[in-house]
Amino acid sequence: MFKRVFLEVDTRCSNHCPECYLRGRSEFLTIWQALSRVEKIRPLCEEFIFIWGEILDHPEYLELVALSGKAKTGIPTTGIRLLEKPELAKELSQWGIGEVRISAHYFGQELNLPALDIGLVPEVIRLLKEFGIRAVVHTILWTGNYRKVADICQLAINDGADSIQFLNLMPTNEMLRKFTLSLGQRMEVFRQVEACRQKIPKEVLAFYLKGGFGPRPGSPGQKLAEQGRYCPAGSESVYINVRGEVYPCIYLTTEEFRLGNLDGQFHLTREPLRGFDRRGCYLFRDS
């Protein structure tokens, strides 16, 4: 039994974000092909997580979210489509989707990401709340804004967000490497987040650090990191791409790590990761 399976459904996306591994791909599953895979993996894991580009480019997938029982966990989106087609908010509600995570990169203009214009975030949040949908903002912390956690939290509150999720860029290319936080900068983020949690009740704004920041000082994860065994996604996860190929991680997709194919021979084994030193992963290359 795996803790979670990341199931890739659609790689098409109109946003072309420079940090996204999906760039240049255009493969996808039909709703029923995806549901078939869900039924195969459901007995094998505690949780499955859909991976796609911009779901609101292809809103027919909202049916898949509902049919798979994942509506309450919500969907991620840049939020741009909701402004272009406000009727999509009503459609989200009709499919029972209770939460939407929108890209709101405060103090992030220099990143040149095709995200929602920061001045339009309150309008998107207002539209979601009109239909009873929780609004979560995804915000990248990078070398230009990582000292502004408290300011960012206040902006999210002012914009009407229910929650904020902070992300750290993975240095998967030269362009991103200059924006990615160093170990010392990530430790400063941990300090600021804890300070904000002491001041801001979660009922006003809940906040989370998504994978990519590494383990907190003094945590069990820190000891695992020293042994080369730490992974923000967890060691009991697998990634299945659109072609059905199974890998232990979205970043470990070379032949040596291939576990098989979900539509053919498929062996759930962690053998490829035995002895694998995770200090070589993107997360630790600047440490």
Side-chain angles (χ1 to χ4, degrees):
M1 174 72 72
F2 277 73
K3 187 171 183 179
R4 62 179 62 89
V5 171
F6 295 89
L7 180 63
E8 186 178 80
V9 174
D10 187 1
T11 68
R12 299 169 296 173
C13 187
S14 60
N15 295 318
H16 308 296
C17 299
E19 84 279 15
C20 185
Y21 85 102
L22 293 174
R23 295 180 75 196
R25 297 174 59 194
S26 59
E27 305 160 292
F28 63 96
L29 301 176
T30 67
I31 292 173
W32 304 111
Q33 286 173 327
L35 280 173
S36 175
R37 290 189 176 175
V38 166
E39 292 311 307
K40 283 185 179 181
I41 67 173
R42 205 188 291 271
L44 306 175
C45 65
E46 296 177 16
E47 178 188 17
F48 65 90
I49 299 170
F50 288 130
I51 298 177
W52 33 40
E54 172 55 76
I55 183 174
L56 296 184
D57 279 353
H58 311 283
E60 64 271 16
Y61 282 124
L62 297 175
E63 180 180 4
L64 171 61
V65 177
L67 291 174
S68 65
K70 301 291 287 184
K72 287 186 178 180
T73 58
I75 62 165
T77 172
T78 61
I80 296 171
R81 300 293 171 272
L82 286 167
L83 287 182
E84 293 173 342
K85 297 181 178 180
E87 63 271 19
L88 284 172
K90 182 178 181 180
E91 192 171 345
L92 291 171
S93 177
Q94 290 172 336
W95 285 116
I97 292 172
E99 178 178 290
V100 171
R101 300 178 293 281
I102 62 173
S103 300
H105 302 310
Y106 300 102
F107 304 108
Q109 290 85 344
E110 293 92 330
L111 295 173
N112 292 318
L113 296 175
L116 182 69
D117 184 296
I118 208 68
L120 298 175
V121 172
E123 187 174 344
V124 173
I125 291 177
R126 179 198 59 75
L127 183 63
L128 293 171
K129 291 195 170 183
E130 182 181 335
F131 293 96
I133 300 171
R134 278 177 49 83
V136 180
V137 290
H138 270 182
T139 298
I140 289 175
L141 294 180
W142 61 291
T143 51
N145 72 350
Y146 77 97
R147 295 182 185 274
K148 299 180 178 180
V149 171
D151 294 335
I152 291 170
C153 288
Q154 189 57 57
L155 288 171
I157 292 170
N158 294 346
D159 286 345
D162 297 294
S163 179
I164 187 167
Q165 294 184 349
F166 292 114
L167 302 100
N168 179 35
L169 291 167
M170 296 291 268
T172 54
N173 60 52
E174 286 297 327
M175 194 274 297
L176 293 177
R177 197 160 288 120
K178 63 183 179 181
F179 296 135
T180 306
L181 300 181
S182 67
L183 175 60
Q185 290 167 337
R186 296 199 300 270
M187 294 303 105
E188 171 61 16
V189 167
F190 288 138
R191 186 194 67 76
Q192 292 180 80
V193 166
E194 289 307 312
C196 287
R197 281 181 173 150
Q198 297 300 315
K199 297 178 180 179
I200 304 173
K202 63 181 179 181
E203 294 78 15
V204 175
L205 184 74
F207 31 134
Y208 307 90
L209 292 173
K210 299 295 285 184
F213 285 94
R216 291 172 175 78
S219 69
Q222 187 176 37
K223 291 184 179 180
L224 291 175
E226 292 168 356
Q227 301 167 13
R229 295 168 51 207
Y230 176 82
C231 175
S235 59
E236 297 190 359
S237 301
V238 291
Y239 156 62
I240 303 174
N241 67 18
V242 168
R243 294 182 293 276
E245 296 169 343
V246 184
Y247 297 94
C249 173
I250 201 169
Y251 296 114
L252 298 175
T253 55
T254 55
E255 186 59 33
E256 64 183 303
F257 294 112
R258 191 172 182 271
L259 301 177
N261 192 292
L262 188 64
D263 299 321
Q265 189 177 23
F266 176 44
H267 298 293
L268 279 179
T269 173
R270 300 178 186 85
E271 190 65 35
L273 289 183
R274 293 204 176 186
F276 178 68
D277 192 335
R278 292 178 181 271
R279 284 170 292 195
C281 289
Y282 288 113
L283 183 58
F284 298 102
R285 288 182 187 175
D286 64 337
S287 307

